[in-house]
Amino acid sequence: MYHLQKATQVTSGTDDAATLRWLAQTYAYPPKPTSPPCLTRPYVRANFVSSIDGAVTHNGRSAELAGPGDHALFHVLRALADVVLVGARTATVEDYGQPAEYPVFAGDRRRAEQTPAPALALVSRTLAFPIGYPPLGNPDTVVFTCRDAPRENRQSLVDAGATLIDCGEDTVDLPIVLDRCAERGWHRVLCEGGPTLLGSLVTEDLVDEMCLTISPNLVSGDAGRIAHDRRPGVLRSMRAETILTDDDGFVFSRWVRSAPTTH
């Protein structure tokens, strides 16, 4: 049986507070558990953009696929999160800075007992960051790595003031990463890439929600897809929760875990 699910259209790139709050309500995280066990696994939301034909970048950067409406939603999703989780290569290629406070949601974050802006958590097995990469010295940034990370790189980051947290021996163990997030009170996790990190999260069945922006462009070329992993592919069933469009032709879909099948 087919179901027609019409998309709700919103004005792209709006700074109207009412629209931004509507988006925040539409994309609200599930309530944080208030009963034991206190360190339940954080809720992992991923946010990505791709072209119609599945390209995750153009000219090597995802930013070239984005538009004003996508930028607005990007900031709303950050305003809801406790921490932005991103792979080191994506962070450096996309020139990530420290997440900033979004004034529209300042009061909401205070009432939710959140920090003014989400923390930044970088994931890196090799610790091969550019010298002087600005977020590393920020106290609101952590680097999740592993104990076998190159010693020289580790020492240079420590000297730069970086906070390193080991999550495994020879690779970064993502369930341990989420345990460390829970210990820090980061229950609302927003993963922004890259494809390798998302692929690992999918393979290990750690993605609770996928927010996918479809850019109204065909790209072709040799660009990759939003997720890849060297391990065999898996099927993780999701269901469409929300579908939005904007004036520029972008489609914003929100997918959540399907309910477990009962027999």
Side-chain angles (χ1 to χ4, degrees):
M1 181 180 294
Y2 294 91
H3 299 276
L4 179 61
Q5 184 166 350
K6 295 183 178 180
T8 301
Q9 186 165 357
V10 296
T11 301
S12 61
T14 180
D15 289 326
D16 175 66
T19 300
L20 295 175
R21 289 189 175 280
W22 178 80
L23 284 172
Q25 183 178 18
T26 301
Y27 283 83
Y29 280 87
K32 186 173 69 174
T34 56
S35 59
C38 298
L39 292 180
T40 54
R41 184 176 71 77
Y43 186 91
V44 178
R45 164 183 284 164
N47 182 37
F48 277 73
V49 61
S50 79
S51 66
I52 298 169
D53 54 333
V56 71
T57 59
H58 181 242
N59 292 328
R61 301 186 70 227
S62 64
E64 295 202 13
L65 295 174
D70 183 53
H71 286 141
L73 183 58
F74 173 88
H75 290 299
V76 168
L77 295 183
R78 281 194 165 195
L80 296 171
D82 295 322
V83 62
V84 175
L85 184 71
V86 62
R89 185 177 184 278
T90 295
T92 53
V93 168
E94 301 283 349
D95 195 23
Y96 264 58
Q98 198 68 28
E101 180 179 350
Y102 205 11
V104 173
F105 299 104
D108 301 81
R109 291 186 68 87
R110 283 195 301 271
R111 285 187 289 274
E113 299 182 336
Q114 292 175 291
T115 55
L120 178 63
L122 306 171
V123 179
S124 177
R125 186 182 65 83
T126 63
L127 300 177
F129 289 93
I131 296 175
Y133 181 57
L136 291 175
N138 192 300
D140 292 327
T141 294
V142 301
V143 181
F144 291 124
T145 187
C146 57
R147 280 179 280 276
D148 287 347
R151 186 170 302 177
E152 183 177 340
N153 291 349
R154 177 187 294 271
Q155 188 59 53
S156 66
L157 293 189
V158 170
D159 292 343
T163 301
L164 307 184
I165 301 176
D166 290 329
C167 300
E169 292 293 336
D170 58 355
T171 189
V172 182
D173 189 316
L174 293 177
I176 296 178
V177 166
L178 296 182
D179 286 344
R180 300 296 173 263
C181 287
E183 290 169 359
R184 288 175 169 259
W186 297 338
H187 298 279
R188 308 167 188 90
V189 175
L190 175 63
C191 174
E192 293 182 350
T196 299
L197 178 56
L198 178 59
S200 296
L201 288 167
V202 171
T203 299
E204 298 183 38
D205 198 19
L206 298 173
V207 177
D208 298 298
E209 182 177 316
M210 183 74 227
C211 297
L212 179 62
T213 295
I214 303 297
S215 177
N217 296 286
L218 294 169
V219 173
S220 189
D222 60 357
R225 44 186 291 212
I226 66 170
H228 64 76
D229 194 78
R230 293 180 180 179
R231 292 166 288 185
V234 294
L235 288 175
R236 303 297 186 204
S237 181
M238 310 288 280
R239 60 179 174 82
E241 183 73 12
T242 308
I243 300 175
L244 308 175
T245 62
D246 67 11
D247 298 334
D248 298 317
F250 284 75
V251 178
F252 310 96
S253 59
R254 178 180 176 228
W255 302 80
V256 299
R257 283 181 181 270
S258 294
T261 302
T262 57
H263 299 280

